[in-house]
Amino acid sequence: MYVRDAKNREEVWLLDHIESMGLDDTAFRSRDYVVAVDEESGEKAGFGRIRIHKDHSGTDTGESDDGDGNETGAAREEPAEVCELTSIGVLESWRGQGVGAHVIERLIEYASDEGFETVYSLTGESAYLAQFSFRRIEESQLPAVLQERLSEKRDRTDPDAVALAIDVDQFRMPDRLREAFKRAPEGRSTASDDDSAEDFGIDPDSATYKYDTGR
């Protein structure tokens, strides 16, 4: 089992499962997603998304000058970026195998690689995320753009959504979920998916693997 970046051609597959699971598809872009795939059967098992938001609050810093005391107009800073973990889905036949946990791990790694120190999540599944060290925070602690997003999400897809956050260096994968991922069910029928070794994050020359499948 591997977790890799989604492909453009998987857009329809992602949207179908997002809809069937009642997940959030706001501002959908397939390139924001990762997909968990069984390397033997080619079967897709789960997916998830990191969404980057521009937080425009506080970007106007007032009047600036040219160094000689002459006002040049309002000085503006680039809006801050904030990172949201969202739309985690696991196909029913793969649940309980650590798939969602490893999708989340991959997305947290991605956020860290992009320079984010904190990842937020707006979800009614707070107990699930707590096992990875996500913590509940007050809505007032959210960046302004995510406060608006939380309200929208409650209205659209998740009425029980609450605000959670994690420092990326605090992420922890429970051993039981890592072991479950290694022992993902065998003997599934071969799926008609044309994925190659490279699609799974495998370098066929050096046999570099993202995860140890234990096989």
Side-chain angles (χ1 to χ4, degrees):
M1 180 70 66
Y2 295 90
V3 180
R4 58 161 172 79
D5 293 341
K7 304 172 187 176
N8 289 337
R9 66 181 173 82
E10 291 172 326
E11 179 175 319
V12 172
W13 181 88
L14 284 166
L15 284 170
D16 283 347
H17 286 287
I18 288 167
E19 181 180 5
S20 68
M21 296 180 192
L23 300 175
D24 182 28
D25 63 355
T26 305
F28 174 88
R29 300 189 311 176
S30 58
R31 66 177 179 269
D32 293 338
Y33 284 79
V34 298
V35 178
V37 190
D38 179 70
E39 75 278 10
E40 292 190 1
S41 68
E43 184 178 355
K44 300 177 185 72
F47 55 88
R49 178 187 189 187
I50 280 287
R51 184 178 175 192
I52 309 301
H53 300 266
K54 299 284 189 179
D55 187 6
H56 293 272
S57 61
T59 56
D60 189 341
T61 59
E63 297 295 321
S64 63
D65 61 59
D66 60 5
D68 294 322
N70 301 313
E71 291 184 351
T72 60
R76 300 189 65 83
E77 297 177 353
E78 288 295 320
E81 291 187 332
V82 294
C83 184
E84 179 196 4
L85 177 80
T86 186
S87 300
I88 307 299
V90 178
L91 277 64
E92 186 173 358
S93 62
W94 285 97
R95 292 172 187 171
Q97 303 299 320
V99 172
H102 283 74
V103 165
I104 292 169
E105 181 182 44
R106 175 66 176 268
L107 293 171
I108 296 293
E109 289 176 351
Y110 170 80
S112 180
D113 290 344
E114 291 298 305
F116 290 97
E117 296 180 357
T118 303
V119 174
Y120 298 93
S121 188
L122 312 174
T123 178
E125 301 294 336
S126 58
Y128 177 73
L129 290 183
Q131 63 188 323
F132 308 111
S133 300
F134 276 83
R135 64 188 184 280
R136 177 84 176 266
I137 62 173
E138 297 296 328
E139 293 177 32
S140 60
Q141 294 179 269
L142 285 170
V145 65
L146 290 185
Q147 292 183 30
E148 297 174 7
R149 167 99 166 116
L150 178 58
S151 178
E152 293 171 358
K153 196 164 188 178
R154 285 170 172 167
D155 289 341
R156 293 186 67 244
T157 59
D158 194 348
D160 299 320
V162 297
L164 303 173
I166 188 173
D167 297 332
V168 294
D169 59 357
Q170 296 297 311
F171 178 85
R172 297 292 181 270
M173 173 69 75
D175 290 342
R176 60 184 176 79
L177 294 178
R178 194 173 297 284
E179 289 304 313
F181 193 67
K182 293 178 181 179
R183 299 193 305 269
E186 298 181 357
R188 291 173 176 267
S189 59
T190 300
S192 57
D193 190 291
D194 295 327
D195 293 323
S196 65
E198 290 87 346
D199 293 329
F200 300 115
I202 306 171
D203 182 339
D205 296 321
S206 61
T208 300
Y209 292 78
K210 175 64 181 174
Y211 293 108
D212 176 11
T213 64
R215 294 177 177 172

